[in-house]
C-alpha cells in the first residue's frame, strides 16, 4: 500500500517497529489504539505503520470506517482484497453481486462462501457478510501475512453492524497466525466498550491503549523544516508556546505553520491568533450544539463547569434551573449521557459511575463559554 510523500510528515519508525515486533512475537494478534481527532493517529498508521509492515514482508490493508459508516463490511472486504489480490477486485464484486435476487439459507455463494441466512443481494449490509468471508478466504491463499488496520473501528459497535462484527470476529479468530489487526479509534469510551462489554462481538479480543502523542520532538522537527524554507525562521520557544496554546494538537499546529509561512511579515503572534479563530470556526461546535436537544446541552454545561456526579441531587437541581422545569429526574441525565457517549455522538467518555469527561478539550472549552442551553 503506497501513499503520497508528505514533506511535513514527522516519521516515527521506532513506534511502527514496536507495534510490528509485538505482532511478530506472536503474543498478540490484535490491539486497540485510541487518540482524539487531529492528533496524528491516522497519519502515523498510513505513512509509518503500513509502509513498515510492507517492508517487513506483510501485506498491508487500511480502511477508515468513517468513510462509509453505513457499509463498514464492504469497506473492510475491499481493503483486504486490495492488499492480497488487487487485480481481482472488480471480478470479486461482479461474482458476489450475481443477478439472483434472493439466495436461501445454505445456497452456494460465489467464491465458495456458504450462506447461513437468507441473503438479499440488493441490500449492501447483507452483502457485506459473505464479502468479508470471501475476502478472508483469499488471505488463506496468500504467501504473506496480513496487517489489517481498521481506523475509526468504533463504527463496528453500532447495533446495525452487529452481524458484520460477528462475521469479522469469527473469520479473524481462526486466522490469528496469518492476520494481525490494529483497531484504532478517536473515542476511548466507544473503543473500550467494543472489547469490554460481554455481549459485544469483540469482547476481550484485543488490549486497548492510548496512542503515544507527539510532543516537543515534533515541534523541533517542524521548526527545523521552517528554517530551510522561511525568510524569517520561527524561534523554537515561540513555536513550543503556540503548540501548547493549540492544545498540543498536531493538525492545528500545522495550520499555524502554514499561516506563518504565508504571512511571515505579520509575525508568529498574528499567525497564532488567526489559527485559534480557525480552530473554533472549523470544528463545527456551533452546528453540533444546535443539533443537540436542550437536556443534552444542559448536561454538557454541567460537565464543562466541573460537576462530577451528574446523577446527584445537586446536579438535578442545576438541571432544573437550566431547563426551567421541575420535571427533571435521574433518568434525564442518564438518557442524555447514553446519547453523548454513544458511538454516533462521542462527545463524552465515562470514567467512573456518574463521572464523565469530554472527549475533545476544545469542545469542552467552547461549551464552558456558553451561558444557557439556548
Amino acid at each position: 500500500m503506497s501513499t503520497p510523500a508528505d514533506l511535513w510528515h514527522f516519521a516515527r519508525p521506532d513506534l511502527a517497529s514496536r507495534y510490528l515486533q509485538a505482532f511478530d512475537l506472536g503474543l498478540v494478534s490484535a490491539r486497540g489504539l485510541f487518540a482524539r481527532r487531529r492528533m496524528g493517529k491516522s497519519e502515523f498508521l498510513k505513512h509509518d505503520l503500513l509502509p513498515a509492515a510492507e517492508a517487513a514482508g506483510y501485506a498491508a490493508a487500511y480502511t477508515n470506517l468513517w468513510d462509509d459508516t453505513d457499509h463498514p463490511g464492504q469497506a473492510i472486504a475491499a481493503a483486504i482484497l486490495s492488499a492480497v489480490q488487487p487485480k481481482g477486485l472488480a471480478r470479486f464484486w461482479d461474482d458476489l453481486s450475481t443477478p439472483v435476487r434472493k439466495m436461501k439459507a445454505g445456497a452456494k455463494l460465489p467464491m465458495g462462501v456458504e450462506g447461513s441466512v437468507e441473503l438479499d443481494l440488493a441490500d449492501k449490509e447483507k452483502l457485506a457478510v459473505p464479502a468479508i468471508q470471501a475476502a478472508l478466504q483469499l488471505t488463506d491463499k496468500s504467501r504473506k501475512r496480513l496487517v489489517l488496520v481498521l481506523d475509526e473501528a468504533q463504527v463496528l459497535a453500532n447495533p446495525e453492524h452487529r452481524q458484520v462484527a460477528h462475521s469479522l470476529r469469527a473469520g479473524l479468530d481462526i486466522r490469528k497466525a496469518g492476520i494481525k489487526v490494529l483497531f484504532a479509534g478517536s473515542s476511548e469510551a466507544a473503543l473500550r466498550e467494543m472489547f469490554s462489554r460481554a455481549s459485544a462481538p469483540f469482547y476481550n479480543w484485543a488490549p486497548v491503549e492510548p496512542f503515544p502523542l507527539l510532543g516537543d520532538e515534533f515541534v523541533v522537527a517542524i521548526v527545523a523544516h521552517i528554517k530551510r524554507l522561511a525568510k524569517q525562521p520561527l524561534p523554537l520557544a515561540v513555536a513550543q508556546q503556540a503548540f501548547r496554546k493549540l492544545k498540543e494538537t498536531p493538525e492545528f499546529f500545522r495550520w499555524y505553520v502554514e499561516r506563518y509561512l504565508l504571512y511571515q511579515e505579520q509575525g508568529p503572534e498574528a499567525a497564532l491568533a488567526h489559527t485559534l479563530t480557525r480552530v473554533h470556526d472549523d470544528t463545527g461546535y456551533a452546528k453540533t450544539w444546535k443539533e443537540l436537544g436542550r437536556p443534552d446541552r444542559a448536561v454538557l454545561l454541567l460537565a464543562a463547569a466541573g460537576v462530577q456526579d451528574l446523577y446527584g441531587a445537586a446536579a438535578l437541581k442545576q438541571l432544573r434551573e437550566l431547563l426551567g422545569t421541575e420535571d427533571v429526574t435521574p433518568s434525564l441525565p442518564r438518557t442524555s449521557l447514553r446519547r453523548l457517549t454513544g458511538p454516533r455522538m462521542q462527545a463524552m467518555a465515562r470514567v467512573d459511575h456518574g463521572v464523565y469527561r469530554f472527549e475533545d478539550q476544545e469542545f469542552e472549552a467552547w461549551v464552558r463559554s456558553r451561558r444557557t442551553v439556548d
Side-chain angles (χ1 to χ4, degrees):
M1 178 179 180
S2 60
T3 54
D6 181 352
L7 296 177
W8 292 94
H9 173 63
F10 179 71
R12 307 175 78 180
D14 291 344
L15 183 59
S17 177
R18 191 191 317 164
Y19 290 137
L20 292 176
Q21 285 174 4
F23 287 147
D24 289 340
L25 287 172
L27 297 176
V28 295
S29 61
R31 65 195 310 164
L33 294 177
F34 63 85
R36 60 189 175 90
R37 298 166 199 169
R38 306 177 188 270
M39 299 307 289
K41 169 178 52 64
S42 296
E43 181 175 326
F44 164 78
L45 295 172
K46 291 188 285 187
H47 291 272
D48 292 318
L49 182 66
L50 293 180
E54 290 183 327
Y58 286 91
Y62 171 91
T63 184
N64 188 321
L65 299 186
W66 263 358
D67 289 342
D68 189 356
T69 57
D70 291 333
H71 309 111
Q74 290 212 2
I76 293 168
I80 295 171
L81 285 161
S82 294
V84 300
Q85 192 174 310
K87 293 183 179 179
L89 189 59
R91 181 185 172 189
F92 172 86
W93 290 112
D94 287 342
D95 287 348
L96 203 61
S97 301
T98 173
V100 178
R101 300 296 300 173
K102 292 277 187 178
M103 284 188 167
K104 301 297 182 181
K108 193 76 173 178
L109 289 172
M111 310 296 290
V113 177
E114 296 298 329
S116 58
V117 295
E118 184 181 69
L119 178 66
D120 180 357
L121 293 176
D123 184 329
K124 285 190 173 183
E125 199 56 16
K126 290 180 181 178
L127 183 61
V129 171
I132 285 177
Q133 293 170 349
L136 289 174
Q137 284 186 1
L138 285 174
T139 67
D140 298 335
K141 303 174 183 179
S142 174
R143 296 179 181 179
K144 295 182 177 181
R145 291 180 298 167
L146 173 70
V147 169
L148 172 62
V149 177
L150 303 180
D151 208 350
E152 301 302 347
Q154 69 273 3
V155 168
L156 290 173
N158 292 352
E160 62 267 32
H161 304 317
R162 189 176 185 83
Q163 188 179 7
V164 166
H166 272 296
S167 176
L168 181 62
R169 163 72 188 263
L172 293 174
D173 260 341
I174 60 175
R175 296 177 172 87
K176 289 184 176 181
I179 302 179
K180 310 300 180 181
V181 190
L182 198 150
F183 298 86
S186 57
S187 170
E188 175 184 355
L191 200 62
R192 287 195 183 280
E193 188 176 4
M194 274 186 65
F195 301 105
S196 63
R197 194 173 76 247
S199 60
F202 282 100
Y203 173 64
N204 236 7
W205 208 70
V208 180
E209 61 193 59
F211 173 67
L213 303 181
L214 292 170
D216 275 347
E217 71 286 354
F218 165 69
V219 179
V220 169
I222 295 296
V223 167
H225 197 43
I226 292 173
K227 187 176 181 180
R228 293 191 289 268
L229 298 174
K231 293 180 180 179
Q232 302 178 37
L234 183 65
L236 178 59
V238 173
Q240 290 172 327
Q241 184 180 29
F243 188 56
R244 289 191 293 271
K245 287 187 176 180
L246 292 167
K247 300 294 189 292
E248 299 185 349
T249 305
E251 185 171 344
F252 295 159
F253 185 69
R254 288 176 67 155
W255 291 358
Y256 164 73
V257 169
E258 176 188 33
R259 179 69 184 186
Y260 175 73
L261 287 174
L262 292 175
Y263 299 93
Q264 295 176 48
E265 70 281 358
Q266 295 180 6
E269 294 80 9
L272 179 59
H274 180 275
T275 304
L276 288 169
T277 300
R278 180 182 173 185
V279 165
H280 292 295
D281 287 346
D282 283 18
T283 44
Y285 297 148
K287 181 176 183 292
T288 298
W289 184 260
K290 186 177 180 180
E291 292 172 349
L292 292 172
R294 296 178 81 250
D296 295 351
R297 296 179 193 174
V299 169
L300 286 174
L301 283 170
L302 292 192
V307 175
Q308 293 294 304
D309 185 0
L310 292 168
Y311 301 138
L316 294 179
K317 180 181 178 181
Q318 293 181 71
L319 286 172
R320 293 185 184 104
E321 293 172 353
L322 284 168
L323 294 170
T325 178
E326 292 297 313
D327 188 22
V328 174
T329 66
S331 65
L332 185 145
R334 188 174 296 112
T335 302
S336 286
L337 287 164
R338 191 177 299 120
R339 285 192 293 267
L340 294 169
T341 59
R344 292 191 182 279
M345 180 60 64
Q346 298 179 26
M348 304 287 290
R350 181 179 182 272
V351 295
D352 202 350
H353 178 69
V355 180
Y356 294 79
R357 66 166 173 77
F358 281 78
E359 291 273 21
D360 184 342
Q361 293 176 339
E362 284 296 321
F363 185 44
E364 180 179 10
W366 188 91
V367 172
R368 193 180 299 119
S369 70
R370 310 288 299 182
R371 299 297 181 190
T372 69
V373 296
D374 299 313

